[in-house]
Amino acid sequence: MRTISSVLAMQRLALKWRRLGPRVGFVPTMGYLHEGHLSLVHRARRLVGPRGKVVVSLYVNPTQFGPREDFSRYPRDFARDAALCRDAGVDVLFAPTDAAMYPGRDQGRYSTYVVEKTLSQSMEGASRPAHFRGVTTIVAKLFNIVLPDVAVFGAKDWQQAAIIQRMAMDLNFPLKVVVAPTKREPDGLAMSSRNKYLVGPLRPQARALWQAIQTAQAAVRSAPTPVSAARLKRRLCRQIEDQPDARVDYIEFFEPETLASAAKVRRGTHLALAVFIGTTRLIDNARL
Ligand code: PAF
């Protein structure tokens, strides 16, 4: 496995691959890798085949964090991430610096961003202004540097994946965006680098997200007619906030492709939720 930190070196290699022909699979990450990330790497490998190239990027992107969010304390462990990537058969680990990705940003000389204007307004976009502008900007930049044929994203960030698919289509990126299923801990908690923050009594309380999803699934499956979204939201909110350190940020029912809010919940409606467990904000989602 090669580790590359220079944008130019990565782009040159990507251009060489494009000339020589191997298919390139790409998994963008912010590091502190877990089984969920590795499942995306294995999916990328299956998609490009044994002769293809798999690139993982490892970059904690400052522009997708709000001023009071966890950018500076976001977990980082480069040596461990590099070992996991090597063992997973990654060909290139691309780990650029802030100066390489946003030249002149500290001096106010970086001024180009990519903005998706529709799908990014609700849920994470409403709770975290400028988050998706940071995501679409960094992902567009990474696509231009790595030049992948296929990029794999996790379904845990359902809205993010929908926005990136839309961006790739709207801006004519010549690649396929694949969304791979969420990996869960044995008790149902969706795997996330931020789970590291859940210490002591907070960890068992984090099960509340998966339990809420299961309650919603059971409610929809047992109801003979579509269920009121407002009523189900209130029920899930009460159930989650029964945990002493849990506070709901949002619970949303929506159509999975358009992300349009649903007033009635039926089989196939999607549920997404964001919940603070202590000061840690967790997200999850599922098709009902
Ligand atoms: O999902 C993530 O880890 C990040 O949002 C991404 C796609 C790597 C962009 O920084």
Side-chain angles (χ1 to χ4, degrees):
M1 184 183 81
R2 248 175 99 175
T3 299
I4 297 180
S5 59
S6 146
V7 166
L8 203 63
M10 183 69 242
Q11 221 164 21
R12 281 203 179 123
L13 181 61
L15 285 166
K16 183 173 140 200
W17 285 339
R18 193 153 271 195
R19 268 200 322 278
L20 297 180
R23 281 172 60 71
V24 178
F26 178 42
V27 180
T29 81
M30 298 206 299
Y32 212 73
L33 305 180
H34 49 68
E35 279 298 317
H37 293 112
L38 297 178
S39 73
L40 307 184
V41 171
H42 297 314
R43 181 72 176 270
R45 171 60 66 199
R46 284 200 299 282
L47 287 162
V48 299
R51 283 211 280 271
K53 303 290 181 188
V54 173
V55 179
V56 169
S57 66
L58 197 165
Y59 180 62
V60 185
N61 171 35
T63 65
Q64 69 187 75
F65 289 80
R68 278 178 298 282
E69 293 182 7
D70 57 343
F71 172 68
S72 54
R73 69 181 191 115
Y74 194 84
R76 292 161 169 89
D77 189 340
F78 180 80
R80 181 176 160 276
D81 287 346
L84 286 171
C85 284
R86 196 172 304 114
D87 291 350
V90 169
D91 295 289
V92 172
L93 179 59
F94 176 52
T97 60
D98 286 340
M101 290 312 283
Y102 293 106
R105 181 168 169 264
D106 287 348
Q107 296 78 41
R109 279 189 282 106
Y110 184 90
S111 56
T112 305
Y113 291 87
V114 176
V115 178
E116 190 287 326
K117 291 183 78 111
T118 305
L119 303 178
S120 58
Q121 298 306 303
S122 59
M123 299 185 280
E124 289 302 286
S127 283
R128 305 179 66 192
H131 169 66
F132 284 126
R133 183 185 85 146
V135 171
T136 41
T137 300
I138 197 67
V139 172
K141 286 165 73 69
L142 289 166
F143 284 175
N144 282 331
I145 295 165
V146 176
L147 306 177
D149 296 290
V150 57
V152 188
F153 292 84
K156 183 176 85 69
D157 298 290
W158 184 270
Q159 190 179 13
Q160 166 176 282
I163 291 169
I164 288 165
Q165 277 175 324
R166 175 68 63 87
M167 176 190 81
M169 200 170 73
D170 286 353
L171 298 185
N172 308 98
F173 281 100
L175 55 87
K176 186 167 169 203
V177 174
V178 169
V179 184
T182 303
K183 280 273 175 195
R184 298 184 178 279
E185 301 291 351
D187 66 355
L189 176 65
M191 289 187 184
S192 161
S193 306
R194 289 188 170 100
N195 292 353
K196 176 185 159 57
Y197 302 145
L198 300 169
V199 291
L202 297 178
R203 174 61 186 82
Q205 294 184 55
R207 281 195 303 239
L209 284 86
W210 178 237
Q211 285 165 345
I213 288 172
Q214 287 179 306
T215 299
Q217 276 170 340
V220 167
R221 280 172 195 166
S222 62
T225 54
V227 176
S228 150
R231 198 167 313 143
L232 192 49
K233 259 185 220 180
R234 283 197 296 276
R235 179 173 164 200
L236 299 183
C237 196
R238 272 198 309 275
Q239 178 182 324
I240 292 168
E241 295 191 344
D242 228 22
Q243 302 294 327
D245 299 297
R247 181 171 62 79
V248 171
D249 184 7
Y250 66 78
I251 295 174
E252 191 59 47
F253 297 100
F254 59 95
E255 302 309 328
E257 273 81 37
T258 60
L259 307 190
S261 188
K264 291 281 182 194
V265 183
R266 44 175 68 80
R267 277 170 188 255
T269 304
H270 219 92
L271 161 64
L273 67 172
V275 176
F276 284 96
I277 303 289
T279 55
T280 301
R281 186 172 178 282
L282 301 175
I283 60 171
D284 203 347
N285 70 84
R287 183 177 190 271
L288 300 179

